[in-house]
Amino acid sequence: MKYLESIKLFLTEHFKKMTADTLGWLAAIVLHCATIPSLLAVLTGLSDRTPNVDVILFIWAGLVLLFARAIILKDQLNTVTIGAGFIAQSVLMAFIIFK
């Protein structure tokens, strides 16, 4: 009985925050992954079409906003995730530009 009450208390107090944090983290990952397939296709020679600049600018603008939010909230997981994604995308774009 005591365990059920503690589980119920945990879920009512923490479940919404955990779900919101998880969705925010997944949003950052999905935004980073949006351009990866086309960038890899260009690098491997499967395609000669790069992603449209406007699409990349909107994705990066969204990521910058999520990054700023993570810094303001001192959310280290999102800060590291988004920062690593920026580095990975920059490296891929550098490979394409300096082929």
Side-chain angles (χ1 to χ4, degrees):
M1 223 29 141
K2 193 175 188 179
Y3 292 116
L4 291 176
E5 289 176 18
S6 64
I7 290 171
K8 183 179 176 182
L9 181 66
F10 175 80
L11 289 176
T12 57
E13 290 181 4
H14 300 288
F15 187 71
K16 280 194 239 178
K17 181 174 178 2
M18 289 185 333
T19 303
D21 289 344
T22 303
L23 289 174
W25 185 69
L26 288 173
I29 291 173
V30 168
L31 282 171
H32 277 298
C33 292
T35 58
I36 298 294
S38 55
L39 292 175
L40 287 176
V42 170
L43 279 175
T44 58
L46 295 173
S47 173
D48 60 345
R49 295 186 59 218
T50 58
N52 294 337
V53 174
D54 58 341
V55 172
I56 292 176
L57 289 177
F58 278 117
I59 289 172
W60 277 52
L63 288 168
V64 166
L65 292 173
L66 285 172
F67 191 68
R69 178 187 179 275
I71 290 173
I72 290 169
L73 294 177
K74 295 181 171 77
D75 184 356
Q76 291 182 352
L77 178 63
N78 272 332
T79 304
V80 169
T81 302
I82 296 169
F86 279 138
I87 292 169
Q89 283 195 7
S90 298
V91 167
L92 283 174
M93 285 188 214
F95 281 145
I96 291 170
I97 291 171
F98 301 114
K99 214 173 187 183

